Amino acid sequence: MEARLPSEADAVVVGTGAFGLSVTAQLARLGYRRVVALDRFAVGSQTSPRAAGLFKSVQADELRTRLARMAIETVCTFERDTGVTVPFVASGSLMIARTARHAAVIDEEVEAARRWGVEVDTISPAEAVRLAPYLSAGAIVRAASVPGDIYIEEPVSLLEAYRQAAERFGASVFGQVPVTKVIVSRGAVTGVETPLGTIRTETVVDAAGAWVRAVARTAGADLPIVPLRHQLAISHPLAGVAPEQPIVRIFDAAVYVRPCRGGLMWGGFEVEPLPLDPAAMGEGFSIDRVPLDFRVLEGFAAAVRDTVAVLHGAAVQEHRGGLFTMTPDGRFVVGPVPGVRGLWVLSGCNGSGFSFSPALGRVLAEWIVTGRPSIDVGPLTLARFVRAFAEEELRAAAIHQYTHYYEPVEETSERG
Ligand SMILES: Cc1cc2nc3c(=O)[nH]c(=O)nc-3n(C[C@H](O)[C@H](O)[C@H](O)COP(=O)(O)OP(=O)(O)OC[C@H]3O[C@@H](n4cnc5c(N)ncnc54)[C@H](O)[C@@H]3O)c2cc1C
């Protein structure tokens, strides 16, 4: 059925991934009456449904820890607050290190996370194996347990829940409607153009994932964001694996593992991630065309062979991938776009956009509707970038952040 677009809206959200659908649902929930979300492809069909679905409450700083906890809380109370069920698994997670250097990273993170209110305990290698029997204790130098972490088995279920909640609160969600231009007049947003017509609005949220920069450019703005490929695999069912076993993150190999569909899902952060700008790949390019390389997953399985032996040579039921939106400092980009009144952005996922979407969608919607978010996300706004980046520098910084996912890079005083 052809979409019948409204000609006017209180807010238009560009993109219906985890970020776009979350902020759409929250804007409508907070009382915005005509919220319209548009996607150039099918609703919720690009990077978000390909995520691993992991939530992680131990974060590199207090702000992200608060947001991560808010995100888990939002998922756990989603049904109460919206009437829509989100299936999640209260699995907890384990942090594992097999070198002294990475043990020190875990020790620091445990200490800081406790200070910021996260329940996390150092445990013995034997206890780690008791909790996740697919592990071998031998090489483990340090293990810590985070009982409050969760995962969502099929990430598409969170997207469907957001969409249902958004529509219940009165928002309209359309697939196959690309936004071709954000219309700006005298420094302020006045609408969006699509092939099906123009929608007049004073508020646009750019949540276009790997296309976020291309959408901002139509409004004359630029964003320091680089899309990089990330992949995972899911094995066929394996004896002894059960859904409630914890997520495992092996810091020294930058690999994560969790139960999935009776087998194990695994993925990780390679040292040479593939940059890929979909806006440069032509109109028809979609995430299912991101080239995948199973050798990367084989490399991860080999790197953790002493600890998760079953991955090595495991028969695989799914291999999938998508694009992270990386920023030069590894932090999200949330809030107003300077110089274009009424244009907001929600991006810079840095590999954690799925799990932060419940919180960031909520906080951004509060900001738009009430003028003040309930958590001050000032450090995550574009205002932190005090100068423009040269393309090469931007790409190098983004790759650096990707390859240090489990070892956050020291803060530098000068930001691009
Ligand atoms: C393999 C893999 C595993 C991951 N695992 C995790 C994890 O465990 N936990 C976690 O937190 N994160 C994870 N991530 C990251 C997470 O998937 C992303 O951070 C998140 O999905 C980003 O959501 P998004 O809404 O920005 O992007 P998307 O889901 O890609 O949505 C953006 C949407 O914008 C649309 N769009 C683009 N241009 C336009 C336009 N002009 N007009 C209209 N619509 C447009 C696109 O079609 C798309 O649907 C993983 C990612 C990958 C690839």
Side-chain angles (χ1 to χ4, degrees):
M1 192 179 70
E2 177 130 313
R4 297 241 316 267
L5 288 189
S7 57
E8 234 176 303
D10 288 347
V12 172
V13 177
V14 187
T16 63
F19 278 151
L21 285 174
S22 176
V23 75
T24 301
Q26 295 290 349
L27 283 167
R29 176 168 173 255
L30 289 176
Y32 258 31
R33 294 200 25 242
R34 296 168 305 169
V35 183
V36 179
L38 305 175
D39 204 290
R40 63 187 297 157
F41 299 115
V43 173
S45 63
Q46 299 302 301
T47 288
S48 297
R50 294 172 168 84
L54 313 178
F55 287 64
K56 179 173 183 285
S57 39
V58 173
Q59 294 288 329
D61 57 48
E62 186 170 9
L63 174 56
R64 277 178 286 177
T65 304
R66 282 184 73 193
L67 289 166
R69 296 180 71 203
M70 181 198 229
I72 292 175
E73 174 76 15
T74 303
V75 169
C76 296
T77 57
F78 200 80
E79 185 169 359
R80 184 198 71 197
D81 294 341
T82 68
V84 179
T85 311
V86 181
F88 65 89
V89 184
S91 61
S93 76
L94 302 182
M95 299 152 76
I96 300 287
R98 302 171 308 168
T99 68
R101 184 162 72 83
H102 292 91
V105 173
I106 289 184
D107 289 344
E108 274 171 36
E109 292 206 351
V110 165
E111 199 202 316
R114 277 210 192 116
R115 242 186 296 126
W116 299 328
V118 180
E119 185 189 346
V120 48
D121 287 307
T122 306
I123 57 171
S124 68
E127 178 64 3
V129 174
R130 193 188 66 76
L131 292 167
Y134 58 82
L135 295 178
S136 310
I140 298 176
V141 174
R142 185 78 77 254
S145 166
V146 192
D149 277 350
I150 64 170
Y151 71 83
I152 290 185
E153 172 81 343
E154 302 296 343
V156 75
S157 60
L158 178 63
L159 306 176
E160 279 165 6
Y162 283 147
R163 181 188 185 154
Q164 277 180 38
E167 290 178 341
R168 240 175 223 214
F169 289 121
S172 308
V173 181
F174 298 92
Q176 315 298 347
V177 184
V179 169
T180 50
K181 186 174 173 54
V182 177
I183 310 165
V184 177
S185 174
R186 295 188 189 152
V189 167
T190 59
V192 297
E193 276 177 16
T194 81
L196 300 185
T198 298
I199 304 177
R200 285 192 302 280
T201 184
E202 293 179 359
T203 303
V204 169
V205 179
D206 181 358
W211 293 262
V212 71
R213 209 172 169 192
V215 170
R217 278 183 175 145
T218 70
D222 197 12
L223 304 173
I225 289 177
V226 177
L228 294 182
R229 182 186 67 186
H230 184 78
Q231 317 174 73
L232 60 78
I234 302 169
S235 79
H236 278 288
L238 295 163
V241 173
E244 64 280 2
Q245 291 165 0
I247 302 159
V248 171
R249 298 182 170 94
I250 302 173
F251 277 45
D252 46 279
V255 167
Y256 56 81
V257 186
R258 74 148 163 101
C260 186
R261 303 177 193 162
L264 289 175
M265 170 192 283
W266 82 101
F269 297 81
E270 69 260 48
V271 280
E272 289 183 358
L274 180 73
L276 203 157
D277 180 3
M281 305 290 286
E283 276 301 297
F285 183 85
S286 51
I287 296 296
D288 54 1
R289 299 200 185 172
V290 170
L292 301 181
D293 181 357
F294 193 68
R295 286 169 307 178
V296 174
L297 278 310
E298 284 174 335
F300 292 138
V304 299
R305 194 174 179 170
D306 290 350
T307 310
V308 199
V310 284
L311 294 182
H312 194 70
V316 164
Q317 56 171 303
E318 187 176 352
H319 172 204
R320 67 189 188 219
L323 295 173
F324 284 180
T325 48
M326 300 299 299
T327 57
D329 62 1
R331 291 157 181 243
F332 302 104
V333 170
V334 189
V337 176
V340 189
R341 210 162 53 253
L343 181 59
W344 302 76
V345 64
L346 182 46
S347 188
C349 83
N350 290 285
S352 303
F354 182 81
S355 55
F356 277 75
S357 65
L360 291 176
R362 192 162 144 187
V363 166
L364 183 59
E366 289 166 354
W367 196 348
I368 293 171
V369 174
T370 70
R372 179 187 276 259
S374 58
I375 293 182
D376 176 9
V377 287
L380 304 181
T381 63
L382 283 165
R384 72 187 188 266
F385 299 112
V386 294
R387 65 177 172 83
F389 287 90
E391 279 312 306
E392 268 316 301
E393 181 194 13
L394 178 58
R395 183 186 287 205
I399 289 174
H400 190 71
Q401 292 297 337
Y402 182 100
T403 56
H404 289 77
Y405 187 82
Y406 287 135
E407 286 176 83
V409 189
E410 291 289 306
E411 280 249 20
T412 54
S413 53
E414 195 212 16
R415 296 216 177 93

